[in-house]
Each structure stands twice: as C-alpha cells, then as structure tokens.
Amino acid sequence: MFVTRVAKTIGASALALGAGLALASMASAETRVTLKSASSTSSYYVMMVQLGEMLQAQSDGAIQPTVEESQGSVQNVAEAGRRPGAFLFTTPPNLIADAIAGEAPFERGNYDNIRTLFPMPFITIHLVVRADSDIHTVADLAGRSFISGGTGTFCQRQVASIFETLGIADSVNAPDMELSGAPGALRNNQVDGYATCSAHPTPQVQELAATLPVRILSFTEDERAAIIEANPGAGAVTVAANTYAGIDEEIATMAVPVGAYATNMDDDTALAIVSAFWEQRADMADTNPWWAGVTPDLVPQLGAPLHEGVAAFYESQGVEMP
C-alpha cells in the first residue's frame, strides 16, 4: 500500500543550479522529446500538454516536446520497449515490473532501460453509473452491463482484478469498448455504467456530470481493505464532495501510484526536465490542483531505477531509493 507523507521542499538554489547546468549543455542544439500518457479525454493528457508547454518555455526552446495521444499505460510501456528517440511516458509501476519480467502483454521488447524521472498524480478509479439507476453500491453491479475501462487498458485490468477480489467478476457483463464511447453508451442506456481511471477531477466525468446526473460508486471499508490486501500497490482515496456536478457526498474509492519514466534520454535532458518539473510544480498546481499532491518522497515507490542524470539531484534532496 502506498503512503503519502508530508511534502519535502526542494531548494530553489539546487533547482536553478541543476537546470542551469543541464540547459547550458543543451544550448547548442534542440532536443526532441515525445511525451505520451493517455487519451485526449483524460486528465493525464491535459497534464502532458501542460508539461510540454512548461518544458519548452523553461528551456527557451532547447527542449522540443511532442505530445502524443495514447490508449493508456499498457500501450505506453509496450512502446517504451521498442521505439527510438527520447521518450517520456506515464504508467503505474506495477506495469514496469510486468514488462521487466516479460509477462503478458510485454513478452517482446527491451524494458531494461526504463528509468524513473518523477511522480505523477495518482490514478483514481471512478465507477460511474446513472443517478436515476438503482445501482448504489459496487455489489449492485452484479448482473449488470458495465464497461470496465477501455479495451486492453490498465484500467480494464485493474477493475477486473477488483471485481475478482470482491467476488462479482463472473456476474458482471463487461462489453469491450473504447473509453471514448462509454459516456455515450451510458447516456443512451446501452450499458449500466463504466469505469474510468485517471487523476481526479477527470475531464470526461466532469463533462458528463454537467449534462447527465450521475453517481460515482464508493467502496465500503471492508471492500477497500480486501482490495489492498490483494494489491498492496493500491491505496484508499477520498474524492471530495462537489468535485463533480450533482455529487454532494464524498466518494470513497481506490488509487494507484503513477510515475513519469524515460527511455533513450541523455543525462542532460533528464536533469533539465526533472529540475524544471520540481521548480514549476507549485505553479502548475495553481492551474491544475492535482499536481499539489506530488511530492519527492513518492519517488522511491516508482519501481524503476532513477535515470542516471537525476540520481545525484535526488540524492542531494535526501530522497533514498530502495
């Protein structure tokens, strides 16, 4: 189970020195970096756009980011094992472990060079149903038609695992559908609900709740304890009341850690990106509050080794890797 501790403060002088040295080394040429996270309807895509804009501005154009849409973490990790060029992507750390072990669907590709850069806001699981339905608990999904996340995504795997833990997997009809079509299917009563996994508040759910009364299901304390026992990488998260239109009660749900990782990235670029991220994190949180919960002490939970270009930086900030 992950633990969120009191945030540590990274000194401005260390940030400026690290970023300055790295950018000085990059000044003679542009460095192109591909940023990849999730679909354009997710909060993680919004984060990548914000990161890309910030990195280009902070580097005065020395870093040239390109943001690509993705179907999710499984695709990101699979691409990390085979694509050339500097690549920054997001995923939960358990998929990194699966890839390094060569487990399905990562039987092909070289994943040994994946390196940690910084934490991302955690994935929050949303189980969305219509507010006018008689579905009030997760157990009520038994016998219903429920899209368990986009086809082939981490969300689909995670929700399927949760349903298995709670003993309802065999009784939930889970049609395969891309996540982009799920809100329309719910609106048209083609399904009873769907799952989406993204940092909260997630734009897709915000947009849906603004025009269709919805309910986001909470887990009981016993259900959350069972999920954590089955998956120690998960943790309990409470979404505040009124985060989504029409939902005036807290939502007791689950979340899993997420990291930003790199492949094929030189040391100077990695240091410039990490330094700029921590220097600008508070300012980014002013625009998108989900960044506020990202702290340096989450780095050791990300599974992959630190990028060699940022190891000394984190060591100077007192971050101890396992």
Side-chain angles (χ1 to χ4, degrees), residues 40-72:
S40 59
T41 59
S42 76
S43 54
Y44 285 96
Y45 185 83
V46 176
M47 293 178 207
M48 277 293 141
V49 172
Q50 189 179 20
L51 279 170
E53 293 172 348
M54 181 274 290
L55 291 173
Q56 186 165 14
Q58 289 296 110
S59 68
D60 291 328
I63 296 175
Q64 289 290 317
T66 299
V67 178
E68 290 184 358
E69 188 175 7
S70 165
Q71 291 305 308

Side-chain angles (χ1 to χ4, degrees), residues 35-218:
L35 310 181
K36 196 149 190 168
S37 59
S39 69
S40 59
T41 59
S42 76
S43 54
Y44 285 96
Y45 185 83
V46 176
M47 293 178 207
M48 277 293 141
V49 172
Q50 189 179 20
L51 279 170
E53 293 172 348
M54 181 274 290
L55 291 173
Q56 186 165 14
Q58 289 296 110
S59 68
D60 291 328
I63 296 175
Q64 289 290 317
T66 299
V67 178
E68 290 184 358
E69 188 175 7
S70 165
Q71 291 305 308
S73 299
V74 173
Q75 179 186 346
N76 296 348
V77 176
E79 289 192 16
R82 61 177 183 264
R83 70 182 295 165
F87 184 49
L88 187 159
F89 65 99
T90 64
T91 182
N94 66 320
L95 291 187
I96 299 289
D98 290 348
I100 292 174
E103 297 181 5
F106 308 114
E107 297 92 342
R108 297 182 180 180
N110 176 17
Y111 303 101
D112 292 335
N113 297 321
I114 293 174
R115 295 293 182 265
T116 293
L117 294 179
F118 51 84
M120 295 286 292
F122 287 0
I123 287 176
T124 304
I125 295 172
H126 298 68
L127 306 180
V128 186
V129 300
R130 295 175 64 107
D132 60 5
S133 76
D134 59 355
I135 301 171
H136 295 271
T137 69
V138 179
D140 290 340
L141 292 175
R144 305 305 181 101
S145 177
F146 188 85
I147 300 169
S148 301
T151 302
T153 63
F154 167 82
C155 188
Q156 186 183 54
R157 292 169 49 153
Q158 188 74 10
V159 173
S161 176
I162 288 173
F163 286 175
E164 186 72 31
T165 297
L166 301 183
I168 62 172
D170 293 339
S171 58
V172 176
N173 176 24
D176 285 338
M177 180 179 290
E178 297 300 331
L179 184 59
S180 59
L186 181 64
R187 185 185 300 279
N188 296 325
N189 286 310
Q190 295 171 297
V191 296
D192 294 304
Y194 74 95
T196 182
C197 307
S198 192
H200 67 275
T202 181
Q204 185 194 68
V205 179
Q206 286 181 310
E207 292 172 9
L208 179 64
T211 57
L212 176 72
V214 298
R215 178 181 301 123
I216 300 177
L217 303 180
S218 285

Side-chain angles (χ1 to χ4, degrees), residues 201-253:
T202 181
Q204 185 194 68
V205 179
Q206 286 181 310
E207 292 172 9
L208 179 64
T211 57
L212 176 72
V214 298
R215 178 181 301 123
I216 300 177
L217 303 180
S218 285
F219 295 97
T220 67
E221 288 307 307
D222 287 345
E223 287 171 339
R224 296 211 284 193
I227 294 166
I228 292 169
E229 183 177 1
N231 178 11
V237 167
T238 300
V239 179
N242 301 309
T243 296
Y244 299 105
I247 301 178
D248 56 5
E249 297 180 350
E250 292 183 340
I251 303 162
T253 186

